[in-house]
Amino acid sequence: MRFPPLTEARLVRRYKRFLADMDIGGEVVTAHCANPGSMIGLAEPGMRAWLSRATNPLRKLAWNWELVEADGTLVGINTAHPNNIVADAIRAGAIAELAGYGTLRREVPYGRQSRVDMVLSNPGRPDAFVEVKNVHLSRRRGLSEFPDSVTARGARHLAELSDMVAAGHRAAMLYLVHRGDTSAFSLARDMDPTYARAFDKARAAGVEMLVYRCRVGLDEVAVTGRIPILD
């Protein structure tokens, strides 16, 4: 996924989850923060950040917060992008476990009044139901973690994917690590024990757990390869 031209800024403060005041050359603007998580370690005042301009000129907030620099590494914090990044990677054959499907559909209704991020279909193969989660938490060097806050919605997604396996389909939870400085993944069980239990139950039920890392730059984000799950 390629970015439009980005503007460098300094974070003044993040508040109300979805708002962030940014200093652009001495002018403070309010940017939209498309991230419902806690953003531990990624929202400290003074951090370097990069913003994109909103494409809708009528939108109230003219800026979107895209990237932040943490410990010298660019981290993607915009949770609106991972589905596009993963869809591009699947079409390019960069995710081996999900290769060989002729059709990719997005936001397909399923489960209990939910929508799955994508469904892959091909004649002669069971459909593959895929959910994507953005991963940006790293509390230990080289290790990425999910989630960074309680996510009842995430636990529900795991249960619904398990139901798809029981119905004879494939189901995969794909964790997209939106930073390039980690080489392994683990659940942040202390952040949300309920989610951790749902993960264990779904994996035992046959849901495929995939973790792929990105190369994050100021011009684009691209999937680079799979990394292992430590637990």
Side-chain angles (χ1 to χ4, degrees):
M1 185 201 77
R2 295 195 63 82
F3 285 119
L6 299 181
T7 298
E8 184 176 341
R10 292 278 179 174
L11 175 63
V12 177
R13 63 169 182 148
R14 181 203 182 199
Y15 55 104
K16 296 182 179 179
R17 289 282 174 134
F18 300 107
L19 299 176
D21 287 344
M22 296 284 182
D23 186 328
I24 303 175
E27 177 188 0
V28 176
V29 301
T30 301
H32 176 58
C33 175
N35 192 313
S38 65
M39 290 181 58
I40 294 171
L42 302 175
E44 301 301 322
M47 280 185 151
R48 294 174 75 195
W50 283 265
L51 315 178
S52 66
R53 277 277 189 182
T55 56
N56 181 357
L58 300 179
R59 205 182 76 168
K60 182 177 179 180
L61 299 178
W63 296 96
N64 297 306
W65 185 4
E66 302 286 0
L67 306 173
V68 65
E69 184 181 65
D71 299 322
T73 296
L74 291 177
V75 182
I77 61 89
N78 189 334
T79 57
H81 294 325
N83 287 3
N84 292 328
I85 296 168
V86 169
D88 288 347
I90 291 172
R91 293 188 182 103
I95 299 177
E97 297 82 2
L98 301 177
Y101 288 91
T103 303
L104 187 157
R105 292 176 291 151
R106 304 275 297 271
E107 295 293 323
V108 179
Y110 90 130
R112 299 183 287 275
Q113 296 184 328
S114 294
R115 289 179 179 270
V116 68
D117 289 331
M118 54 195 76
V119 176
L120 309 178
S121 303
N122 206 70
R125 302 181 67 181
D127 287 348
F129 289 75
V130 182
E131 280 286 348
V132 179
K133 297 299 180 189
N134 190 68
V135 179
H136 45 63
L137 175 63
S138 180
R139 295 179 292 177
R140 196 173 85 199
R141 185 173 296 277
L143 182 68
S144 51
E145 298 177 274
F146 184 90
D148 71 346
S149 59
V150 172
T151 173
R153 182 169 177 263
R156 187 182 77 244
H157 288 162
L158 288 167
E160 289 170 337
L161 289 176
S162 298
D163 291 342
M164 294 300 102
V165 174
H169 304 291
R170 284 184 71 193
M173 178 64 76
L174 195 151
Y175 297 93
L176 187 72
V177 180
H178 218 150
R179 55 192 299 159
D181 63 342
T182 65
S183 56
F185 170 87
S186 178
L187 285 184
R189 294 179 180 271
D190 59 318
M191 290 289 184
D192 190 348
T194 299
Y195 183 86
R197 289 192 292 270
F199 175 96
D200 294 338
K201 186 176 180 180
R203 183 159 59 174
V207 176
E208 301 166 46
M209 303 300 181
L210 307 175
V211 185
Y212 272 78
R213 184 175 60 185
C214 290
R215 179 184 68 253
V216 182
L218 295 178
D219 54 347
E220 67 175 350
V221 178
V223 171
T224 57
R226 189 173 178 180
I227 61 175
I229 300 174
L230 295 189
D231 58 350

